[in-house]
């Protein structure tokens, strides 16, 4: 375990991205995942608050491509699981777009459209690249999870591929998170500002049959990730900095599903010589077999937290990094590197023992944050097994 914590403690900034002509918040980040195509494994995709997508060389953080086409806020970017060349993005404009990273600046190779009222607030692509799912904001009384066949085939219709179908009964407010299982292509989890986290098996015929479990975070869900050696656990973060850790392996037993419940990590997490203002996301460290949660301060300092049944334990702080709130990160297990991005328009590459040639920090951007800060009062039933 000392090696695990020491690995994080030695992280230092190796590179910073150059400031673009029009600085913008950097909101979400992803990197290719396949073993093939080593060249494209060096790419990093970042979604921006100006509705564009930037693609960088991972080692130099030089900008190698930009993509524009969305007319609404972008709610996420995902590289295809089985091809380094395809990049997906979803937007509040009601579309999911697929881009070929070999041709920067060219129109999307495929546009997946929802129904006319759809405003997408989250999305993901399953591990086999066969299914896309996007969650919508609540419009009137309707909230949907919309599904498409993800295989990129040019349609004769200008409207693009039609959805395979929708789930409409399991959430009653904006769906802020959709996450497919890393290896089970039919399993997906969703989270919403209604406080509910639902687990589905989409291989079944109906939404009611697909719903395996419902967990209640008691607040607006901000982030979800899969965890555990078999990835049968869920880590859920909320917009009021709560954390909930559930073990789905206990669904068929009488044992408690909840491994940890923290109502406000800012109040319960001891940070020596510092403070914690927010949580970003959790990640499962496969070699250490540990759930790690990354948080930070409004001035850009990052904190790495060890998530255990006893609570969150501060491991280390990453100093002299960002100058504003950090929105997203990506941990690369191949070379133990970390990418971070946020509201100061900076993309940073961290490596163990790295020495940065330039230490100039960019100033805080003044434009308003677009993060959803919705909080609800919810019922207190923490988790419900599907009967």
């Amino acid at each position: 375990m000392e090696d695990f914590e020491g690995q994080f403690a030695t992280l230092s900034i190796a590179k910073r991205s150059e400031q673009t002509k029009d600085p913008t918040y950097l909101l979400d980040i992803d990197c290719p995942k396949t073993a093939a195509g080593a060249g494209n494994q060096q790419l990093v995709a970042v979604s921006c608050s100006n509705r564009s997508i930037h693609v960088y060389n991972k080692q130099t953080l030089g900008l190698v491509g930009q993509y524009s086409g969305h007319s609404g806020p972008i709610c996420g970017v995902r590289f295809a699981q089985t091809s380094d060349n395809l990049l997906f993005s979803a937007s509040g404009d009601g579309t999911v777009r697929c881009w070929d990273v070999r041709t920067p600046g060219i129109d999307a190779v495929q546009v997946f459209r929802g129904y006319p009222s759809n405003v997408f607030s989250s999305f993901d692509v399953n591990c086999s690249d066969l299914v896309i799912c996007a969650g919508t904001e609540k419009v009137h009384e309707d909230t949907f999870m919309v599904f498409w066949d993800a295989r990129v085939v040019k349609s004769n219709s200008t409207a693009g591929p039609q959805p395979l179908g929708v789930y409409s009964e399991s959430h009653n407010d904006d769906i802020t998170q959709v996450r497919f299982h890393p290896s089970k292509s039919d399993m997906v989890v969703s989270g919403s500002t209604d406080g509910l986290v639902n687990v589905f098996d989409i291989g079944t015929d109906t939404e009611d049959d697909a719903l395996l479990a419902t967990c209640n975070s008691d607040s607006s869900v901000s982030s979800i990730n899969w965890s555990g050696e078999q990835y049968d656990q869920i880590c859920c973060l909320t917009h009021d900095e709560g954390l909930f850790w559930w073990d789905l392996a206990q669904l068929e037993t009488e044992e408690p599903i909840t491994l940890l419940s923290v109502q406000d990590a800012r109040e319960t997490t001891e940070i020596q010589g510092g403070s914690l203002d927010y949580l970003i996301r959790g990640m499962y460290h496969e070699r250490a077999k540990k759930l790690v949660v990354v948080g930070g301060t409004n001035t850009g300092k990052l904190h790495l937290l060890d998530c255990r049944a006893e609570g969150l334990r501060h491991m280390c702080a990453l100093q002299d990094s960002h100058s504003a709130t950090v929105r997203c990160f990506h941990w690369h297990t191949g070379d133990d590197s970390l990418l971070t991005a946020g509201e100061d328009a900076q993309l940073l590459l961290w490596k163990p023992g790295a020495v940065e040639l330039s230490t100039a920090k960019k100033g805080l951007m003044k434009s308003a944050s677009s993060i959803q800060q919705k909080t609800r009062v919810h019922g207190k039933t923490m988790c419900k097994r599907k009967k």
Side-chain angles (χ1 to χ4, degrees), residues 40-322:
N40 282 347
Q41 279 196 3
Q42 301 303 310
L43 296 182
V44 181
V46 179
S47 63
C48 305
S49 60
N50 65 0
R51 304 177 181 179
S52 70
I53 300 165
H54 291 177
V55 176
Y56 298 86
N57 179 293
K58 182 190 172 187
Q59 297 307 319
T60 66
L61 296 193
L63 185 64
V64 297
Q66 296 187 59
Y67 302 88
S68 299
H70 286 297
S71 59
I74 297 175
C75 60
V77 287
R78 296 284 183 277
F79 276 98
Q81 304 281 332
T82 58
S83 171
D84 293 344
N85 298 322
L86 298 180
L87 174 67
F88 294 87
S89 60
S91 167
D93 64 11
T95 68
V96 176
R97 295 173 186 258
C98 180
W99 313 88
D100 189 331
V101 297
R102 295 169 295 186
T103 55
I106 304 300
D107 291 342
V109 297
Q110 188 69 77
V111 179
F112 302 86
R113 301 184 187 278
Y115 298 102
S117 64
N118 290 165
V119 178
F120 296 139
S121 49
S122 56
F123 95 111
D124 202 7
V125 183
N126 77 343
C127 61
S128 61
D129 288 336
L130 295 180
V131 180
I132 299 169
C133 177
T136 72
E137 292 184 3
K138 184 177 182 178
V139 176
H140 304 301
E141 295 302 316
D142 297 323
T143 304
F144 300 105
M145 293 172 66
V146 186
F147 297 88
W148 297 265
D149 184 334
R151 287 168 290 190
V152 178
V153 179
K154 283 291 184 180
S155 171
N156 292 328
S157 169
T158 57
Q162 294 299 303
L164 296 171
V166 302
Y167 289 169
S168 61
E169 300 176 357
S170 301
H171 289 293
N172 58 33
D173 213 331
D174 299 355
I175 298 174
T176 55
Q177 289 284 287
V178 174
R179 288 288 180 268
F180 278 100
H181 191 276
S183 60
K184 298 178 181 179
S185 60
D186 286 340
M187 186 169 287
V188 65
V189 60
S190 61
S192 167
T193 55
D194 63 12
L196 301 182
V197 174
N198 291 322
V199 183
F200 299 95
D201 177 0
I202 63 172
T204 59
D205 291 335
T206 67
E207 180 177 354
D208 185 60
D209 290 338
L211 183 61
L212 301 178
T214 296
C215 298
N216 193 345
S217 71
D218 292 329
S219 187
S220 173
V221 174
S222 63
S223 172
I224 292 174
N225 72 282
W226 294 91
S227 178
E229 291 185 57
Q230 304 300 319
Y231 285 98
D232 51 7
Q233 301 170 2
I234 294 172
C235 174
C236 167
L237 307 182
T238 66
H239 282 115
D240 53 3
E241 315 315 331
L243 181 148
F244 301 87
W245 187 14
W246 296 298
D247 185 0
L248 301 182
Q250 304 305 327
L251 285 174
E252 303 301 325
T253 75
E254 297 301 319
E255 295 298 316
I257 293 174
T258 302
L259 300 175
L260 177 64
S261 172
V262 177
Q263 295 299 322
D264 191 339
R266 296 168 296 186
E267 297 179 354
T268 60
T269 307
E270 182 178 347
I271 308 292
Q272 292 185 352
S275 62
L276 180 69
D277 293 330
Y278 56 87
L279 301 176
I280 304 171
R281 187 171 59 83
M283 68 169 186
Y284 184 67
H285 194 290
E286 291 184 342
R287 289 203 302 273
K289 300 179 180 179
K290 298 285 288 183
L291 174 61
V292 177
V293 176
V294 180
T297 69
N298 296 326
T299 56
K301 180 184 291 186
L302 287 166
H303 294 298
L304 277 69
L305 311 171
D306 178 12
C307 187
R308 304 181 296 176
E310 298 80 13
L312 291 171
R313 182 179 64 86
H314 186 243
M315 293 189 293
C316 66
L318 303 183
Q319 307 286 347
D320 299 323
S321 53
H322 293 271

